[in-house]
Amino acid sequence: MRSSARPLAALLAALTLTAGLFATGAPASARANDPVPAVQASDVSSAADTYDWKNVRIDGGGFVPGIVFNRSEKNLAYARTDIGGAYRWDQAGKQWTPLLDWVDWDHWGWSGVVSLASDSADPDNVYAAVGTYTNSWDPNNGAVLRSSDRGASWKAATLPFKLGGNMPGRGMGERLAVDPNKNSVLYLGAPSGEGLWRSTDSGATWSEVTAFPNPGNYAQDPTDTSGYGNDNQGIVWVTFDERSGGAGSATQDIYVGVADKDNTVYRSTDGGATWSRIAGQPTGYLAHKGVLDSANGYLYLTLSDTGGPYDGGNGRIWRYTTATGEWKDVSPVAEADTYYGFSGLSVDRQDPGTLMATAYSSWWPDTQIFRSTDSGATWTRAWDYSSYPNRTNRFTQDVSSVPWLTWGANPTPPETSPKLGWMTEALEIDPFDSNRMMYGTGATIYGTENLKNWDSGSQFKITPMVKGLEETAVNDLASPPSGAPLLSALGDIGGFRHTDLDAVPDMMFTSPNLTSTTSLDFAESSPSTVVRVGSADAAPHIGFSTDNGSNWFQGSEPAGVTGGGTVAAAADGSGFVWSPEGAGVHRTTGYGSSWSASTGIPAGATVESDRKNPKKFYGYKAGTFYVSTDGGASFTAKASSGLPAEGNVRFKAVPGTEGDVWLAGGSATGAYGLWHSTDSGATFTKLSGVEQADSVGFGKAAAGSSYQTLFVTAKISGVRGVFRSTDAGTTWTRINDDAHQWGWIGASITGDPRIYGRVYLSTNGRGIMYGDASDGDGGGTDPGTDPGTDPGTDPGDPPGDAACSVAYKVTNQWSGGFQADVTLTNTGTQALDSWRLGWTFVDGQKVTQMWNATLAQDGAKVTAASVSWNGRVAPGASVGFGFTGTLTGGNAVPAAFALGDEACSTG
């Protein structure tokens, strides 16, 4: 899938989030048996009300490197993600249940799951090996979590080394395995040269298997000095031959995969006491998976020339006959014809001669899935060329439940949209149902429930099986006072306009398509105007919308831009200030047709806008706050005393009040907390009760209060959590609990200006969370509006005696679309200070983009409103605007136009 950007995005996210976290003490002993205090909710901060937390539905959005079915209980399955925790399949709801939401701020790395194991002897037992990075980005060591109630509660055994759920090679495995005959015995393959580890007490304590001879030697990039690409990927899978043991007796024959191209498979025949390299094995490749068909006595290997999950240029599939020691290359294609590695591998336990494998690193024109019904002697493919570039598919694919999986693409053959996927390192046939198969991609889980159609010559149906699994990394959130309740900026899949929080959006932001959106903003008094910036393979890195994010158009950009950075919209949408990567701070009027460098502010500063004064913008970098009063043309350094000079700092201005700014951030080694300014940053006051804070946002005021509700992710009174204040920060209430912590949640938080108590929260891998309060019926004045004024409308109405004429002209028309210009003339004797022109389409036309006016459309009714630079129209003067639209039939000119409540003449 499109998740080619995920490794970089996750890497950058890690670099960002570790900057402000605590350092840890000495490594924990491998024999530690640490209870997880967060397995049950606790009212640690005297919460005044209970919040109901849900995901804003996106469905998927990240890499699923592992799927594990229990071999003894039907419908019991688990999935692991690289940064977003683990999940259990809920058959009744056909959805996934998250299991690691209790992971707290200090242990955020435990949200990265490198391996899962489900106990076939006792299906209530499940184990997870957790830890996100093996280098310094993750401040904690890894751990093996164990649960005796299918993940409802957990205990942790902390390891004396780190694990890498988001490291290269994370799609290999499974590294963690339970002995199917003696379930108190588990093995864990470690990275970083730490070798093979074993537990004999159901995961409570662990010790190294010192007899194991090879800790691995393969690194993705030995020249990388960051500790990411140059880490030894180590021991990558463990497989038991259950035939060599009996109930209560340890399995004797154990196979282990090692990241070593010359010595990739080892075996023990005495229950792990001694180990040896299997003679005759293939060399020059890494065995991503090792799956045993115990019925026929075959060990299958899927091999690649790299560790994956997104690289791999050649691959093979080999079969080992355990009884005779014979090795055989059973690859479905010649080595010269591969441009990908093999990884995903599964045997049909109902029909063991049937097996499947994936070409995990084939991006163009699609991934490939292979199937054999004769133990690898012959293979068929999910798709073949009929006559190039045309394809014949053995499947149909329906993504209507997650429509954004098409990425809005319309590729030319042999590419299709949607694709079967990419980074397909996990594929599992249900051990109880030969018709059901699931496989993970870089963006989702796909599956089928009529797989055997493959063999009968008819097509099987592939659909997303990902409901409940939310794995986006969230960079920014915005909740406008009108239009969609939420706009999101996400890693890897760009972001969405969320019109229904409980429904999957139709499509991510396009035109431009940004692989990761780093920042977005809307004009406070004109919420239809939205801007977003982010990562892209090439320019542009910025997009604009005039209809609240429904449609977008690309902007130009200053020279040298390499990434999104941060962006801010003027309160009335008249201009924008952008602090991109690769270039200094710039500003533009209009929609970015030209940019000019801002003065007085350093490159890389974070920028925001005042939410009342359209000429005022703010910036921050390295402990200094900057202010512009001329639309971003120039900035002046203001407050710096006592503000954090290091760590992550995020700040926002309060809607509706000029100069009211809240700033959160810092690091444990310097200033850290929450500051407030009421004079546009000339001075800041630190809130004494907030020990640490990382993000701040505003929502609708409580009943009886005129000040917006504050939301922060913070540490208050020694407790880390999500907090709310309805009295401008005088008192705080924790609104999450220990069961709902989601690891690192410091990127963004915002309240809803229309619903009191509602809050939207970013996570780094568990998607967007939103919470509603039990006292959510309350609420005072909407933030940013005067009492009695509808949110998002321009103040004041056109004069009641306004006289006007309108000229409407279709300037261009094509199949399915058109462009029109509108000229409004003031024929009265008084100037118009602002205007709203309305009309009704008679042929079902729909406006898709409007310029020089803000758009609102409800069915056939359209309203175009003035923007800041053209609201005043003198007597006899005219103002023009234009738009593009779509057609389904005719394109009749509207018969009547109205300025406010007054009809205009036409001509």
Side-chain angles (χ1 to χ4, degrees):
M1 302 306 295
R2 183 66 178 273
S3 293
S4 58
R6 183 166 188 78
L8 177 59
L11 173 61
L12 295 176
L15 289 170
T16 300
L17 64 88
T18 57
L21 298 182
F22 302 108
T24 58
S29 166
R31 300 189 183 281
N33 182 19
D34 304 326
V36 178
V39 295
Q40 294 182 357
S42 63
D43 187 16
V44 297
S45 59
S46 300
D49 52 59
T50 301
Y51 260 64
D52 178 32
W53 291 95
K54 294 181 181 179
N55 269 109
V56 175
R57 277 194 69 186
I58 295 170
D59 284 18
F63 181 35
V64 181
I67 300 169
V68 174
F69 278 89
N70 187 277
R71 293 273 299 276
S72 63
E73 182 174 318
K74 188 175 182 179
N75 294 323
L76 180 57
Y78 298 89
R80 63 180 171 96
T81 67
D82 50 6
I83 63 173
Y87 294 79
R88 183 184 62 244
W89 178 250
D90 170 22
Q91 177 65 18
K94 296 291 185 74
Q95 61 188 356
W96 297 93
T97 299
L99 303 178
L100 299 184
D101 284 358
W102 53 265
V103 172
D104 63 14
W105 177 276
D106 291 337
H107 297 87
W108 61 263
W110 288 6
S111 294
V113 184
V114 73
S115 192
L116 280 173
S118 180
D119 186 350
S120 59
D122 184 350
D124 285 341
N125 295 332
V126 62
Y127 300 86
V130 297
T132 300
Y133 297 103
T134 61
N135 60 11
S136 61
W137 302 340
D138 191 333
N140 293 313
N141 284 342
V144 176
L145 308 178
R146 64 191 189 278
S147 172
S148 58
D149 52 14
R150 306 180 185 224
S153 63
W154 298 85
K155 292 183 178 179
T158 307
L159 300 166
F161 50 83
K162 298 183 179 184
L163 294 176
N166 199 35
M167 296 290 288
R170 59 192 180 274
M172 297 193 281
E174 293 290 323
R175 296 173 184 257
L176 183 64
V178 184
D179 189 324
N181 292 303
K182 189 174 183 179
N183 65 346
S184 60
V185 175
L186 293 89
Y187 283 85
L188 170 67
S192 312
E194 296 290 346
L196 181 66
W197 288 67
R198 177 169 51 208
S199 172
T200 58
D201 55 7
S202 301
T205 63
W206 291 82
S207 59
E208 185 176 4
V209 181
T210 56
F212 193 82
N214 186 354
N217 60 17
Y218 174 80
Q220 181 191 71
D221 180 7
T223 67
D224 178 13
T225 59
S226 71
Y228 185 76
N230 62 346
D231 185 57
N232 175 5
Q233 294 180 16
I235 313 299
V236 297
W237 52 263
V238 179
T239 296
F240 292 93
D241 186 344
E242 60 265 34
R243 299 171 301 170
S244 62
S249 299
T251 300
Q252 298 300 295
D253 293 354
I254 311 167
Y255 298 86
V256 171
V258 180
D260 178 343
K261 290 187 178 182
D262 295 321
N263 312 280
T264 196
V265 187
Y266 287 77
R267 178 177 60 181
S268 174
T269 58
D270 53 12
T274 62
W275 301 83
S276 61
R277 177 188 185 275
I278 302 179
Q281 66 182 265
T283 59
Y285 291 97
L286 303 174
H288 277 225
K289 299 283 193 297
V291 174
L292 187 76
D293 168 9
S294 56
N296 293 311
Y298 292 137
L299 173 71
Y300 295 98
L301 306 181
T302 44
L303 300 115
S304 174
D305 57 357
T306 71
Y310 35 81
D311 53 357
N314 291 107
R316 310 304 296 148
I317 301 176
W318 280 70
R319 186 183 72 197
Y320 176 67
T321 304
T322 58
T324 65
E326 177 193 18
W327 284 97
K328 185 177 180 60
D329 185 343
V330 293
S331 303
V333 295
E335 184 174 23
D337 292 334
T338 61
Y339 56 92
Y340 45 77
F342 292 99
S343 183
L345 175 64
S346 186
V347 169
D348 186 341
R349 302 297 173 182
Q350 299 296 312
D351 183 10
T354 296
L355 65 150
M356 297 179 70
T358 66
Y360 76 93
S361 58
S362 176
W363 164 251
W364 191 93
D366 205 344
T367 199
Q368 186 60 275
I369 302 175
F370 300 90
R371 180 173 171 91
S372 173
T373 57
D374 52 14
S375 300
T378 61
W379 297 81
T380 52
R381 312 182 205 208
W383 60 270
D384 289 284
Y385 289 114
S386 50
S387 58
Y388 187 86
N390 299 312
R391 286 169 41 169
T392 300
N393 297 331
R394 294 181 184 272
F395 62 90
T396 62
Q397 193 169 7
D398 178 5
V399 298
S400 57
S401 63
V402 190
W404 60 261
L405 284 167
T406 66
W407 261 271
N410 186 26
T412 57
E415 283 192 283
T416 62
S417 182
K419 291 189 176 187
L420 277 174
W422 185 51
M423 298 168 66
T424 50
E425 295 232 56
L427 181 148
E428 293 294 330
I429 303 170
D430 186 333
F432 293 91
D433 184 356
S434 298
N435 263 315
R436 181 159 70 173
M437 176 268 290
M438 297 182 185
Y439 68 97
T441 79
T444 192
I445 295 177
Y446 281 122
T448 182
E449 293 183 328
N450 60 347
L451 178 61
K452 293 185 73 173
N453 283 8
W454 183 317
D455 305 324
S456 65
S458 56
Q459 290 180 308
F460 64 98
K461 183 178 180 179
I462 294 175
T463 60
M465 290 186 176
V466 73
K467 183 180 179 182
L469 193 153
E470 298 285 349
E471 204 205 345
T472 48
V474 186
N475 295 324
D476 202 4
L477 297 169
S479 183
S482 63
L486 183 68
L487 306 172
S488 63
L490 306 177
D492 294 348
I493 59 173
F496 296 90
R497 181 176 188 259
H498 303 271
T499 58
D500 183 344
L501 304 180
D502 299 317
V504 178
D506 288 339
M507 191 55 55
M508 67 276 288
F509 299 140
T510 59
S511 300
N513 287 82
L514 301 175
T515 51
S516 291
T517 301
T518 56
S519 176
L520 58 79
D521 195 17
F522 63 90
E524 189 67 41
S525 63
S526 181
S528 292
T529 301
V530 188
V531 60
R532 60 185 168 94
V533 295
S535 305
D537 295 333
H541 296 83
I542 187 168
F544 297 93
S545 172
T546 58
D547 58 6
N548 193 241
S550 294
N551 297 279
W552 295 84
F553 54 96
Q554 301 175 356
S556 66
E557 61 185 44
V561 172
T562 59
T566 57
V567 70
D572 63 356
S574 58
F576 305 88
V577 172
W578 185 15
S579 179
E581 296 176 20
V585 178
H586 284 69
R587 66 117 178 192
T588 184
T589 56
Y591 296 108
S593 58
S594 64
W595 295 87
S596 57
S598 302
T599 61
I601 186 171
T606 300
V607 295
E608 297 281 359
S609 65
D610 189 87
R611 310 311 283 183
K612 182 72 171 179
N613 184 343
K615 294 295 184 181
K616 187 171 287 187
F617 288 85
Y618 305 110
Y620 191 87
K621 186 176 183 181
T624 301
F625 195 82
Y626 300 86
V627 179
S628 171
T629 58
D630 55 9
S634 62
F635 283 80
T636 302
K638 294 291 185 180
S640 60
S641 177
L643 295 179
E646 59 184 23
N648 297 314
V649 175
R650 297 168 179 84
F651 66 93
K652 289 182 180 178
V654 176
T657 305
E658 182 175 350
D660 194 336
V661 179
W662 291 80
L663 183 147
S667 73
T669 58
Y672 203 171
L674 182 66
W675 288 261
H676 185 207
S677 174
T678 57
D679 54 12
S680 300
T683 60
F684 277 91
T685 300
K686 189 176 189 296
L687 273 70
S688 59
V690 181
E691 298 150 52
Q692 300 172 358
D694 293 274
S695 59
V696 60
F698 317 105
K700 186 175 183 178
S705 175
S706 61
Y707 198 82
Q708 288 88 337
T709 299
L710 294 176
F711 295 96
V712 293
T713 56
K715 184 178 183 181
I716 299 175
S717 300
V719 177
R720 260 282 173 190
V722 185
F723 293 86
R724 184 186 78 183
S725 175
T726 59
D727 54 13
T730 301
T731 60
W732 296 93
T733 297
R734 188 187 184 202
I735 58 174
N736 71 320
D737 54 46
D738 288 352
H740 300 89
Q741 301 193 76
W742 312 290
W744 191 79
I745 52 174
S748 184
I749 191 171
T750 186
D752 191 308
R754 290 170 273 185
I755 301 175
Y756 166 70
R758 176 169 289 179
V759 61
Y760 305 100
L761 177 68
S762 71
T763 76
N764 188 49
R766 267 289 283 125
I768 308 166
M769 306 305 304
Y770 77 98
D772 283 321
S774 60
D775 58 349
D777 292 338
T781 304
D782 289 338
T785 64
D786 295 324
T789 302
D790 291 335
T793 61
D794 292 324
D797 290 320
D801 59 350
C804 52
S805 67
V806 174
Y808 179 103
K809 181 180 181 181
V810 176
T811 58
N812 194 12
Q813 186 167 322
W814 55 93
S815 177
F818 72 105
Q819 179 174 326
D821 286 342
V822 181
T823 301
L824 168 66
T825 302
N826 181 2
T827 59
T829 59
Q830 298 182 23
L832 301 178
D833 290 327
S834 63
W835 48 267
R836 289 195 301 273
L837 183 68
W839 68 89
T840 300
F841 283 125
V842 297
D843 288 327
Q845 302 99 315
K846 180 175 177 58
V847 178
T848 56
Q849 181 177 317
M850 183 173 285
W851 50 92
N852 295 329
T854 60
L855 167 69
Q857 183 166 1
D858 183 6
K861 296 180 179 180
V862 179
T863 301
S866 60
V867 290
S868 61
W869 59 88
N870 65 6
R872 184 172 178 80
V873 185
S878 299
V879 63
F881 61 93
F883 63 90
T884 56
T886 57
L887 298 170
T888 56
N891 191 22
V893 172
F897 296 85
L899 188 64
D901 296 327
E902 298 291 322
C904 297
S905 62
T906 58

